Amino acid sequence: MQYIDNIIFLILLVAGFGLFAKSLQKIYRNIRLGHEINRNDRKGERWETMARVAMGQSKMTARPVAGVLHLFVYVGFVIINIELIEIVVDGIFGTHRFLSSIFGHTFYNFFTATLEVLALLVVIGVVIFFIRRNFYGVKRLTMKELFGWPKNDANWILIIEFALMMAFFMMNSSDLILQSRGILAEHGSFPISEMTLVPFLEIFNFDSGFLMFTEKGAWWFHFVGILFFMNYLYYSKHLHIILAFPSTWYANLEKKGKFNNLESVTKEIKLMMDPNADPYAAPAEGAEADVPSKFGAEDIFDLNQVQLLNAYSCTECGRCTSVCPANITGKKLSPRLILMKTRDRLEEVGRNIDKNGKFVDDGKKLLNDYITKEELWACTTCNACTEACPVLLDPLSIIFEMRRFLVMEQSAAPQELNLMMTNVENNAAPWQYNQADRLNWASEN
């Protein structure tokens, strides 16, 4: 029975990481429902972009206060969880502060003191973020599209991170007092705990048995909390903690505003402009394979895998929506909501596959059932949203593909665009007058 703690620990560890792996597998499967796109070119530039944007948080500095606070939480939380290595070894083998024997006394003191400072920065960051999100009234964080689960999700993450850090401090404080009483070996330096929770615990003069229970309870809470947090990510916008890295790697490195041309359409236009081409000639062998089965996107299956990855990676920060001229002027469009709705539809399709073993037509589409035509045509294609995104997501590409479907598959462009395209076809210009009249303005002068 002396190894019961170690066995329970091992079971929880395997179960936690197993469920997490299963969630990642499901996300990967859902992303692969989109069609492939080659984004493996310019590898050096992609590595540099990922390091600078995902790891270096370079685009967060556009809003300095939020950027610095986010850096506190991001760096602190990631580095503190290096201690998970020590927790895992201690939990499996029943040791206490295993890394102290690896690092040595001096470096281990520096290591634990650094973790304490970082944990304090995380606490400061999450408290300010909670107040800012719930009481300060930042417009992009209080919009109607965040009501319900999105707002609750953001708050739960902040609460979980706060609770994990407090458990970390409670564990260290109890440990420090027990060390001072000679019950535990002296390992580590805990300056923040020593100044805050240790005096509080000593006021009540708790006995050593209670402190041992508190230290072990906080240790277990911290460990189970990390496993819970890790598996909660699947249901949360905080998937960007993981997916920001592949999203920045596969980001579109072309100049903003450069749209992708369909090769099949380009070939057709070149054929039309070639005076020597025979329009009635049979297509060359294999040529029909170049023609897509559908132009543009009606549902998530018509989007590419990077666009679906973007939907999962959205942080819901609203920086894109806050700079969108259509949204600012009261239009229905919100670039953030485009990604959120794409993710909702993708998850719905995933649940359909889980239930039936394959996708069974549910009579729904991303277009109309999730994203309306009004939203799509409100977009000015100015690229403000893609420029503002802190992890280089591209909601505009989804909007563009869905508009392409409306125009090329359903001929459902707004009247103004239909008139313009008719004029281009008949007059070789967007204006409604004959080519021969173009220079009339010159003769009037």
Side-chain angles (χ1 to χ4, degrees):
M1 293 296 291
Q2 61 177 324
Y3 299 112
I4 188 68
D5 286 356
N6 308 77
I7 294 170
I8 293 173
F9 180 92
L10 192 59
I11 291 172
L12 289 175
L13 183 69
V14 172
F17 276 90
L19 289 172
F20 181 60
K22 186 176 180 180
S23 296
L24 291 181
Q25 185 180 31
K26 188 177 294 186
I27 291 170
Y28 179 71
R29 179 206 64 190
N30 290 351
I31 289 173
R32 286 183 59 82
L33 294 174
H35 59 80
E36 293 185 7
I37 180 173
N38 184 9
R39 289 275 178 86
N40 289 311
D41 59 332
R42 301 155 68 175
K43 286 185 171 59
E45 189 175 352
R46 293 190 181 279
W47 279 113
E48 186 273 331
T49 300
M50 185 175 71
R52 175 171 47 85
V53 179
M55 185 169 290
Q57 307 279 293
S58 62
K59 298 205 70 175
M60 292 296 295
T61 56
R63 300 174 189 263
V65 174
V68 170
L69 290 173
H70 189 274
L71 194 64
F72 285 171
V73 175
Y74 169 74
V75 174
F77 195 75
V78 169
I79 293 179
I80 286 168
N81 283 320
I82 293 176
E83 194 189 29
L84 185 61
I85 299 171
E86 184 174 60
I87 289 176
V88 168
V89 174
D90 287 346
I92 294 175
F93 298 103
T95 54
H96 183 70
R97 296 198 175 273
F98 162 77
L99 288 179
S100 62
S101 62
I102 303 298
F103 290 164
H105 180 75
T106 302
F107 186 73
Y108 188 72
N109 283 356
F110 171 77
F111 171 70
T112 52
T114 301
L115 294 186
E116 287 246 318
V117 173
L118 290 173
L120 177 62
L121 294 178
V122 172
V123 169
I124 292 171
V126 298
V127 168
I128 294 175
F129 277 140
F130 188 86
I131 294 171
R132 187 167 172 265
R133 181 173 286 274
N134 293 281
F135 304 107
Y136 189 66
V138 179
K139 183 179 178 181
R140 63 188 172 90
L141 301 177
T142 56
M143 298 176 73
K144 186 177 180 180
E145 62 204 51
L146 292 183
F147 288 3
W149 170 249
K151 180 178 180 179
N152 293 336
D153 169 45
N155 285 334
W156 275 117
I157 284 291
L158 295 174
I159 291 169
I160 291 170
E161 290 178 339
F162 179 83
L164 288 174
M165 294 305 101
M166 294 311 296
F168 176 74
F169 284 129
M170 184 60 73
M171 177 183 72
N172 289 345
S173 299
S174 302
D175 197 313
L176 186 58
I177 296 174
L178 290 168
Q179 288 182 31
S180 69
R181 295 179 182 180
I183 296 173
L184 293 177
E186 292 188 12
H187 296 304
S189 174
F190 313 107
I192 307 302
S193 295
E194 190 171 6
M195 290 187 294
T196 54
L197 288 181
V198 167
F200 172 78
L201 293 174
E202 288 182 332
I203 288 175
F204 296 95
N205 195 28
F206 292 117
D207 62 54
S208 298
F210 178 82
L211 290 175
M212 285 290 290
F213 175 81
T214 302
E215 190 272 342
K216 204 62 178 175
W219 183 89
W220 274 102
F221 182 90
H222 191 74
F223 168 66
V224 175
I226 290 172
L227 295 182
F228 175 81
F229 178 87
M230 183 172 66
N231 283 281
Y232 176 75
L233 289 180
Y234 174 79
Y235 306 95
S236 171
K237 74 186 183 85
H238 286 76
L239 264 174
H240 72 270
I241 294 173
I242 301 169
L243 297 184
F245 292 90
S247 287
T248 50
W249 166 271
Y250 291 113
N252 185 5
L253 300 181
E254 299 293 340
K255 292 182 178 179
K256 296 289 188 295
K258 181 179 179 180
F259 291 132
N260 62 314
N261 294 318
L262 297 178
E263 188 177 353
S264 58
V265 176
T266 302
K267 287 181 178 179
E268 187 70 21
I269 292 173
K270 288 181 177 180
L271 182 66
M272 292 168 61
M273 297 178 67
D274 184 356
N276 299 316
D278 180 1
Y280 301 105
E285 185 178 352
E288 291 186 2
D290 296 334
V291 181
S293 59
K294 183 186 293 183
F295 293 106
E298 182 185 20
D299 207 350
I300 57 102
F301 305 101
D302 308 317
L303 297 172
N304 66 52
Q305 292 172 4
V306 173
Q307 290 167 326
L308 299 184
L309 172 63
N310 281 185
Y312 272 124
S313 306
C314 179
T315 70
E316 298 177 14
C317 67
R319 293 188 180 207
C320 54
T321 295
S322 69
V323 298
C324 174
N327 188 275
I328 291 170
T329 54
K331 305 292 192 304
K332 192 175 180 180
L333 173 66
S334 168
R336 167 174 58 189
L337 199 54
I338 294 293
L339 289 172
M340 291 171 66
K341 288 178 176 179
T342 302
R343 182 177 62 211
D344 289 344
R345 172 58 179 163
L346 184 55
E347 276 293 290
E348 183 179 51
V349 169
R351 290 191 295 271
N352 184 310
I353 295 172
D354 290 338
K355 180 180 179 181
N356 301 297
K358 62 178 181 179
F359 179 70
V360 176
D361 188 7
D362 57 1
K364 295 182 181 180
K365 303 289 183 184
L366 181 61
L367 178 63
N368 294 324
D369 290 303
Y370 284 83
I371 300 173
T372 65
K373 296 176 184 177
E374 181 183 352
E375 293 172 86
L376 297 175
W377 292 116
C379 178
T380 66
T381 65
C382 68
N383 275 285
C385 57
T386 59
E387 186 64 39
C389 181
V391 288
L392 305 181
L393 307 185
D394 190 3
L396 177 58
S397 67
I398 297 175
I399 294 171
F400 182 73
E401 288 300 328
M402 296 183 75
R403 294 204 324 195
R404 176 179 273 166
F405 174 82
L406 288 171
V407 173
M408 299 184 71
E409 292 284 346
Q410 296 188 338
S411 299
Q415 183 179 355
E416 297 84 355
L417 281 181
N418 283 330
L419 179 62
M420 182 272 292
M421 288 186 285
T422 300
N423 289 334
V424 169
E425 183 178 358
N426 295 333
N427 305 323
W431 302 283
Q432 198 170 8
Y433 54 78
N434 193 281
Q435 295 183 54
D437 296 331
R438 286 187 182 181
L439 292 177
N440 288 350
W441 65 274
S443 60
E444 293 175 0
N445 295 328

